Amino acid sequence: MGDMKMLLRAPLPYSLLLLAQTSFTLSGSPSISWPHTDCIQANEQCISDQSCSSRLRTLRQCLAGRDRDVLLSSQECKTALEVLQESALYMCRCQRGMKKELQCLQVYWGIHAGLTGDEFYETSPYEPVTSRLSDIFRLASINSGTEASIMKQNACLDAAKFCNVNDACKRLRSTFIAVCNTGDNAPCLRRKCHKSLRTFMERIPSNLTYPLLFCPCADKPCAERRRQTIVPSCSFNRSDVPNCLEMWSTCRQDPVCRSRLADFVTNCQSSPQSVSGCVRDNYAACLGAYAGLIGRYLASSCFFSSGH
């Protein structure tokens, strides 16, 4: 139980956790996982098969039409969807951070857009979290130690020191700090701040970034320094309060943003019946999904600006 209490100190905004909890209520129990094919490989397999390729072209025409809903309700489109649901394309998934991640996600949503329509909660297109990622969290010591030991050491300071030892981590961290932590007289370049945050999270290994993001704090000053380190005010403070539905709509137009949100909703579903508090009993998957939202306009502008 001590380990779970330590993880609950991680800086996940309440509105993000509420979103995940609500998603469980609306979408029901999580589906059973199975071995998945890489979406790029699955697409190549489909193209090489005349029947699958023909159905795929039909589905794309159905989705591209102005009257998409009407087209999808036609028998031809329904048949195409039924056939493709039996193919490797329907079962395919992607890996976060893979070399051709965008291309893989475009293939995934090219199929699932016809299945999910405008539903708010969507299944993650990513492969389940591996044991290697779980090991990263354990080695980072974000879920270990006692409250007394935290008082004797500064895990956040240690995480910063480890980052500074790595040239790339130090350089990219210094870059987003310079861009995002603006002074009173300097303008906040929010888009540039988001980009530098994404670059840092995506190019630096998780064993260096996650300790910075999830290091345990025993007091508010430490928590505030942690937030300013990885989620600076420039990334979410703005004069007008954004409409979260508009942010959601914008996010769904970007395959990567849409996928990261779906990944968070899938992995951070909460349950009072679960030992860990998560439906999947996997904090590593939830925290990793949350990390994938850092620097995304949806998370920065909508969730953090709520004041939580």
Side-chain angles (χ1 to χ4, degrees):
M1 291 298 293
D3 288 351
M4 288 185 286
K5 290 180 180 179
M6 293 303 305
L7 278 170
L8 288 174
R9 292 192 179 95
L12 271 71
Y14 173 76
S15 47
L16 277 175
L17 293 174
L18 182 61
L19 170 66
Q21 184 177 18
T22 306
S23 72
F24 178 67
T25 302
L26 296 182
S27 60
S29 302
S31 59
I32 300 174
S33 60
W34 57 79
H36 300 120
T37 304
D38 180 286
C39 288
I40 297 177
Q41 296 178 353
N43 188 58
E44 293 174 350
Q45 293 175 13
C46 182
I47 292 176
S48 63
D49 180 271
Q50 185 175 359
S51 176
C52 183
S53 179
S54 174
R55 300 300 185 184
L56 182 59
R57 286 196 301 271
T58 298
L59 177 62
R60 287 174 176 170
Q61 291 172 356
C62 296
L63 295 174
R66 294 179 61 183
D67 298 325
R68 197 187 90 153
D69 293 337
V70 176
L71 288 170
L72 286 173
S73 64
S74 69
Q75 187 57 49
E76 185 179 15
C77 293
K78 288 181 178 179
T79 301
L81 271 176
E82 290 173 359
V83 172
L84 291 173
Q85 286 183 54
E86 300 298 326
S87 72
L89 272 174
Y90 177 71
M91 309 282 280
C92 77
R93 292 295 185 271
C94 303
Q95 293 182 10
R96 182 149 63 89
M98 64 186 293
K99 187 176 182 180
K100 296 182 179 180
E101 180 180 358
L102 177 58
Q103 181 181 345
C104 184
L105 294 174
Q106 287 173 332
V107 172
Y108 175 89
W109 291 117
I111 296 296
H112 287 264
L115 299 171
T116 59
D118 289 327
E119 291 181 11
F120 196 93
Y121 304 105
E122 300 172 314
T123 303
S124 173
Y126 293 111
E127 288 279 4
V129 170
T130 63
S131 58
R132 183 192 67 81
L133 184 56
S134 297
D135 289 341
I136 288 175
F137 279 93
R138 186 174 67 254
L139 292 174
S141 298
I142 65 167
N143 62 341
S144 63
T146 62
E147 195 163 318
S149 65
I150 294 174
M151 296 298 292
K152 296 179 181 179
Q153 62 184 16
N154 190 327
C156 294
L157 181 59
D158 290 341
K161 290 179 178 178
F162 279 116
C163 177
N164 287 336
V165 172
N166 181 285
D167 291 338
C169 187
K170 180 180 180 180
R171 175 172 52 83
L172 292 180
R173 178 170 174 263
S174 298
T175 298
F176 84 70
I177 287 176
V179 173
C180 299
N181 293 334
T182 56
D184 295 334
N185 298 323
C188 168
L189 304 176
R190 186 170 293 107
R191 290 184 180 275
K192 191 173 182 180
C193 175
H194 289 167
K195 182 178 180 180
S196 61
L197 281 170
R198 291 197 304 270
T199 300
F200 178 73
M201 295 301 299
E202 292 171 1
R203 294 187 182 180
I204 302 303
S206 303
N207 63 327
L208 292 174
T209 59
Y210 287 3
L212 284 169
L213 181 59
F214 301 117
C215 57
C217 282
D219 53 51
K220 289 185 178 180
C222 173
E224 178 60 19
R225 286 194 300 272
R226 176 181 59 191
R227 185 188 66 77
Q228 288 289 358
T229 296
I230 203 69
V231 193
S233 298
C234 177
S235 68
F236 65 88
N237 276 352
R238 47 187 291 173
S239 57
D240 60 317
V241 178
N243 183 301
C244 291
L245 289 178
E246 292 178 1
M247 295 295 99
W248 166 76
S249 179
T250 300
C251 181
R252 292 182 85 251
Q253 297 174 24
D254 177 355
V256 178
C257 184
R258 181 179 187 176
S259 300
R260 298 298 173 85
L261 177 59
D263 193 44
F264 174 83
V265 169
T266 297
N267 289 300
C268 295
Q269 295 172 352
S270 62
S271 170
Q273 285 78 36
S274 171
V275 175
S276 68
C278 292
V279 168
R280 300 176 186 277
D281 287 316
N282 192 339
Y283 268 122
C286 177
L287 296 179
Y290 169 70
L293 284 172
I294 297 297
R296 300 288 163 186
Y297 191 67
L298 173 75
S300 298
S301 296
C302 182
F303 297 138
F304 284 110
S305 64
S306 65
H308 300 293

